[in-house]
Amino acid sequence: MTDQHAAALQHFVDTADASGLTLIVDTPQGPHLRRIPPALPLPTHVEHGPGAEAAAQTAAAAWGMPDFVFQQADHAAKGSGRRELGDRLLLAGQWGAVVQVKARTVAPKPDSLETAWIQKVAAKAIRQAKGTVRQLRMAPAVMVNGRDNRMAVDGHAFEWIAVFLLDHPGVPDQTVPTWQPPGMPAIALTRRDWDFLFDQLRSTTAVLDYLFRAAALPAVPLGDEPVRYYELAAADVDALPAPMSPEVKGLGGVQFSAPQLPQVPAGADGTRAHLMIRFMLEDIALTPLGETLDEADRFTLLSALDWLPVSARAEWGHLLLDMLRDVPRVPEEHCKWRFRRLVDAEGTRQVIVGAASRFDSVVQAAFSAYVQLRHVEVCEHTRKAEHTSTLGVLLTPRRRDRRRLWDTTTSYTSGELDISPEDLQLYRDTWNQTSQDLTG
């Protein structure tokens, strides 16, 4: 972060609410006032400890996705007893967080005693998180997500971080929890910090990305995570774009670069365009699974779409809305298509979103062929097929049904595809043309 940014970033406790925080942030558009509200209120008629856990889950489910918040379905056997697998798991893609929520359920004591108590429960929480990961690596466990869907979780399938989440009415100033190195990344947050991250980013993948990034840095006092967030966001503004591999450049297109951490909250442009991605995620989450699919497959689809950068979502939302207005403007015997795709700098992840003027078996087959073709083209350029995946999401307007504005269709592929040379040439002949209007 530059000295200019450091001088311009100020924070103070809101005098009207001792649990609120106000930041004055220097942005390219000038100073920006950002008020960080208190943590979500605890549910009524629930004991403080379980209530804090429930409130943390509510924040992650409402601003992230309930499909990425997990808790144990059963207790795992340990000798003659039973071992609990952590308070909550936050999972998306290849990342996993064991979230240990600790609440101060008695009146706070003098600051020195409170600090000692926080250090004690923080160390315990990190040990418990480490034990949960060890248990999941010894034996996969069936976990239940926020929609009550069950999925087997194998500890070896994720890179883990331990999150100590504190609910406390008055954390002493400059309290920095410490613990013995747990052999995995670890970070300490207050519930207000947690709520801020989810409200700011509105993406589970983006929050997990931030947690891993912050955990690699020196710890900050509890309650100061929003300050560190804006310091990193300011540094991102000044950072040079990550270099793109020559193979990805060979695909053509336009290089897109934006700060990893947005300075303004997701959806702050005054429109609802950023919600388009959430609507698509919800469509995937609520669609009944086919006979050959299970919740692990749905989790893969949701993770692939949630990878879409926060900084791009509003612009993509506007584009999708424009597509949905535009594609029906053709005769019924024709089909109009529009697509946008994003490939990461290494060429191992690709997301394609698009719209077509109608949906039927022909459109479905053509869309599947399009996704497979673009996947093959990326793999041919990068020669990283075993590490490469492509998600396609197609929206098709409903012309005569006002209950829903569109249908959502997904197509996902990864690795080396077994496509005959004849079929691949057919896909190229069909799709590698300049016209967007194809006769069905």
Side-chain angles (χ1 to χ4, degrees), residues 34 59-60 62-65 195-207 262 265-268 274-275 277-278 281 306 308 310 313:
R34 175 75 163 98
W63 288 319
M65 282 286 289
D195 289 3
F196 160 74
L197 290 174
F198 274 98
D199 187 21
Q200 177 78 14
L201 296 169
R202 305 292 176 100
S203 162
T204 304
T205 299
V207 170
H274 76 287
L275 290 176
I277 305 303
R278 177 62 184 252
L281 286 164
D306 197 51
L308 193 68
V310 174
R313 293 191 178 194

Side-chain angles (χ1 to χ4, degrees), residues 5 25-26 56 134 148 178 196 199 228 296 303 358 375 433:
H5 283 134
V25 184
D26 179 37
R134 182 171 58 249
D148 292 328
T178 59
F196 160 74
D199 187 21
R228 171 158 63 180
S303 296
R358 70 167 193 266
H375 179 82
Q433 54 184 305

Side-chain angles (χ1 to χ4, degrees), residues 398-406:
R398 287 194 170 197
R399 300 191 184 212
R400 300 179 179 87
D401 187 348
R402 297 185 179 276
R403 292 176 300 175
R404 284 178 55 87
L405 297 179
W406 66 79

